[in-house]
Structure formats: C-alpha cells, structure tokens
C-alpha cells in the first residue's frame, strides 16, 4: 500500500465542472500536506513520535471521511479511507517507506532491458542477464561501483567485500508481526 499509487487514482479523475475541479485540487492539497507530515513524523525521535501518532491518525480520519461536491472524488476518498491501516503502518513502524517506488524502479530496469534487447537466446542467457542486473542494482544501492566490483570478481583479486556481507552490514533484519 503505497501513497504514490493511491494518489494516482485521484489524478485519473477528470472533473468537467469548475467546482469539481476546485474540490479535487483542494483535496489533493490536503492529501500532500498530510503526506509531508508523515515524512516529518519519520524523522522525529521515538518519544516525539509517540505524541504524534494519535494526532496523525485523527487527521487521516478528518481528511478521508470528508464529503465534497464531487461524487467521484468522494468515492475515491472512501476507498483510501478503507486502506487506513495499511497506509498508516508507518505510525507503528517508522522505518517503513511511504511508497514502494524503489522496488518498482528496480523491476522497471529489468523490463526496460528486456524491451531493448527483445529477449535472450537461451535460459542460461536469461539467468546470466538477471544475475548481472542484480549485482549492478545491489552495488548501486550500496554505493559501490558496480564496474569495480565486477572487475574485482572477474580478475579474482577479491579485494572488495562480497555484496552479501555489505548487504548484511547495511541492513539490519527486522521482524514485523503478521
């Protein structure tokens, strides 16, 4: 449940009347102001986060239970309100991202590569391409030069730490209750 994906539904609305257009614009101003508050929340110290949780939950209710003059907008607002628990998971787990664009962009790289080269000639070629793209994207996320890393591995110098070790250092495992 991603805030950016949720907002896309509002952008797809096509109000024909000026007062519907104004209602949509005013609502989106509130939407993005609330989103910025969630971003600010993530940066607060844990003690301050505790103070803000109820306030933000109440603001969510105010924004996403309002009625406007535009029925299509009202329907979309109700759909967003139904996703409250998922959209506000950040209040319980501030380390969670508010959107999943990083994951989406990683997948998009693979799709773009496939579109450009059409396809690979064999199953082995597909596996090799996937492995190569995984190494490159992982290196980029870790701030490591993918070129240097691959050169280190191909030359068998092994001067650089394995990516698996760098990932383990960079990301501490987190267990979320189901």
């Amino acid at each position: 449940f991603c805030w950016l994906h949720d907002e896309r539904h509002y952008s797809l609305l096509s109000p024909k009347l000026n007062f519907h257009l104004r209602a949509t614009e005013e609502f989106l101003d509130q939407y993005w102001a609330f989103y910025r508050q969630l971003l600010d929340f993530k940066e607060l110290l844990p003690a301050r986060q505790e103070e803000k949780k109820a306030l933000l939950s109440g603001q969510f209710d105010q924004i996403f239970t309002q009625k406007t003059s535009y029925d299509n907008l009202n329907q979309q607002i109700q759909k967003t309100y139904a996703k409250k628990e998922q959209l506000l998971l950040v209040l319980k787990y501030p380390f969670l991202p508010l959107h999943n664009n990083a994951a989406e962009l990683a997948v998009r790289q693979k799709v773009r590569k496939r579109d450009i080269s059409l396809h690979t000639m064999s199953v082995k070629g597909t596996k090799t391409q996937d492995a190569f793209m995984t190494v490159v994207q992982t290196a980029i996320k870790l701030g490591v030069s993918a070129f240097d890393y691959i050169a280190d591995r191909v030359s068998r110098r092994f001067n650089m730490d394995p990516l698996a070790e760098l990932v383990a250092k960079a990301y501490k495992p987190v267990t979320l209750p189901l």
Side-chain angles (χ1 to χ4, degrees), residues 162-175:
L163 286 181
E165 287 179 19
L166 295 174
V167 168
K169 288 177 191 174
Y171 302 98
K172 296 179 180 98
V174 175
T175 306

Side-chain angles (χ1 to χ4, degrees), residues 15-94:
K16 305 289 187 253
L17 303 174
N18 283 337
F19 64 95
H20 287 168
L21 181 60
R22 273 193 308 279
T24 303
E25 289 170 351
E26 288 171 9
F27 174 79
L28 286 174
D29 287 345
Q30 293 174 41
Y31 188 98
W32 288 118
F34 184 75
Y35 180 83
R36 285 188 295 279
Q37 286 185 52
L38 290 175
L39 288 175
D40 292 343
F41 170 83
K42 290 168 63 64
E43 301 302 318
L44 294 174
L45 295 172
R48 293 280 298 141
Q49 287 177 341
E50 283 304 316
E51 297 169 9
K52 293 280 284 187
K53 286 179 183 181
L55 177 68
L56 288 169
S57 181
Q59 283 182 304
F60 182 94
D61 291 345
Q62 271 185 323
I63 294 168
F64 296 99
T65 57
Q66 67 180 293
K67 298 289 182 222
T68 70
S69 59
Y70 185 24
D71 286 337
N72 291 345
L73 176 58
N74 292 338
Q75 291 170 11
Q76 190 55 52
I77 290 171
Q78 287 175 344
K79 289 177 184 176
T80 299
Y81 185 74
K83 296 183 268 186
K84 176 181 179 178
E85 188 176 330
Q86 294 86 2
L87 289 170
L88 292 185
L89 269 177
V90 70
L91 299 180
K92 286 184 183 176
Y93 309 105

Side-chain angles (χ1 to χ4, degrees), residues 77-122:
I77 290 171
Q78 287 175 344
K79 289 177 184 176
T80 299
Y81 185 74
K83 296 183 268 186
K84 176 181 179 178
E85 188 176 330
Q86 294 86 2
L87 289 170
L88 292 185
L89 269 177
V90 70
L91 299 180
K92 286 184 183 176
Y93 309 105
F95 55 85
L96 290 176
L98 294 177
H99 60 79
N100 60 3
N101 274 7
E104 224 176 74
L105 289 173
V107 171
R108 192 172 294 147
Q109 292 284 340
K110 171 70 176 149
V111 171
R112 290 204 27 92
K113 174 71 173 148
R114 183 194 63 215
D115 290 347
I116 290 167
S117 41
L118 298 178
H119 60 83
T120 56
M121 301 304 278
S122 66

